[in-house]
Amino acid sequence: MLNVVIFGAPGSGKGTQSAMMIHRYGLHHISTGEVLRDHIARGTKLGKVADHYISRGQLIPDELMIDVLADLLDNNPKATAKGVIFDGFPRTIHQARVLSDMLAERGTKVHAVIGLEVPEDRLVYRMMSRGKETGRADDNLDTIKKRLEVYHRQTSPLKEYYINEGKYHKVDGDGKVDRIFNDIVNHLEKVRAEEEKMMQQEHQLKQEDRRQQQG
């Protein structure tokens, strides 16, 4: 199992790289943004609450996002098979701690955090272009600036949080998509190798404990 948080500012390419990781590793994609936009499009109660915040470039309250994530984890069997890509969550340190607890309750953890780092002028350009192509209401200049302000104020501290946990892997997110993906794969392969080594060591320790108990 490989649980990955893909981390970066709005417009950093999280969706594109998530799709490529899903294809390579068979992971289950949890995009809280996509889920919320679906609820908004369908006019659900959750969608109306979410739209109130998203249309203003604000973050969804922690309690609401946590409820959404718990429902996604518990009602998607694929999430407990090969692992999950968390796209758009966590966005605050509180959410990161809650995610850690939620995964621990399910016998797993966050294995790696992929940080896509892109200059801000490129982020604005990407989102403005995306807004013209897709018609997304939140991809206009005023909302983009608010989203980036919120990101820097509330979400960027997560970088230090995950660096301190030894899980943050910096990736230059400005350039060709394939080059970015190759950098991600290099990081994830190292993480997988380390996890396999730890599992082997734990297995050996358990075998030694059994032998001592039997002896």
Side-chain angles (χ1 to χ4, degrees):
M1 175 176 282
L2 184 65
N3 294 318
V4 180
V5 171
I6 187 159
F7 179 83
S12 59
K14 297 187 295 295
T16 298
Q17 295 301 328
S18 292
M20 297 175 76
M21 280 190 279
I22 290 164
H23 180 72
R24 182 180 180 100
Y25 294 106
L27 305 179
H28 179 65
H29 185 210
I30 290 182
S31 170
T32 51
E34 288 181 6
V35 171
L36 292 172
R37 284 191 290 274
D38 174 63
H39 278 276
I40 290 171
R42 291 189 286 116
T44 67
K45 183 178 179 180
L46 171 60
K48 291 176 182 177
V49 174
D51 188 47
H52 173 79
Y53 293 93
I54 292 174
S55 63
R56 292 166 173 77
Q58 299 172 350
L59 289 181
I60 304 297
D62 282 351
E63 295 75 16
L64 181 60
M65 289 307 306
I66 290 163
D67 288 343
V68 169
L69 181 61
D71 179 69
L72 290 171
L73 283 174
D74 292 335
N75 291 288
N76 287 279
K78 290 182 180 179
T80 57
K82 293 187 176 181
V84 175
I85 296 176
F86 294 97
D87 176 0
F89 189 96
R91 291 192 176 185
T92 65
I93 291 176
H94 174 65
Q95 288 181 0
R97 290 172 175 155
V98 170
L99 176 60
S100 179
D101 291 341
M102 290 175 68
L103 292 176
E105 290 171 0
R106 292 160 176 81
T108 186
K109 64 181 179 179
V110 170
H111 296 97
V113 178
I114 299 298
L116 297 176
E117 302 195 2
V118 181
E120 188 154 322
D121 60 338
R122 291 289 297 160
L123 295 172
V124 173
Y125 173 79
R126 287 182 184 182
M127 286 188 283
M128 289 293 292
S129 298
R130 183 175 67 185
K132 292 176 183 178
E133 292 174 3
T134 65
R136 272 182 55 171
D138 57 331
D139 280 340
N140 61 75
L141 187 57
D142 287 341
T143 303
I144 287 168
K145 288 182 177 180
K146 289 177 182 177
R147 290 171 69 194
L148 290 173
E149 287 172 5
V150 170
Y151 170 78
H152 291 304
R153 184 174 68 251
Q154 297 186 27
T155 308
S156 59
L158 271 176
K159 177 179 176 179
E160 292 301 319
Y161 175 84
Y162 279 122
I163 286 174
N164 292 335
E165 287 209 334
K167 295 182 178 180
Y168 188 86
H169 301 270
K170 176 183 175 180
V171 174
D172 179 2
D174 189 20
K176 293 184 177 180
V177 171
D178 288 342
R179 192 274 304 160
I180 297 168
F181 182 63
N182 286 336
D183 289 351
I184 291 173
V185 169
N186 288 336
H187 285 293
L188 293 183
E189 289 303 318
K190 290 177 182 177
V191 170
R192 290 178 72 185
E194 291 172 0
E195 287 295 319
E196 288 177 5
K197 184 178 179 180
M198 289 176 58
M199 289 177 66
Q200 289 174 355
Q201 290 174 342
E202 290 176 2
H203 180 67
Q204 289 173 353
L205 288 172
K206 288 179 181 178
Q207 285 184 323
E208 289 177 7
D209 287 342
R210 291 195 194 99
R211 284 196 292 268
Q212 289 176 0
Q213 290 172 3
Q214 292 172 355

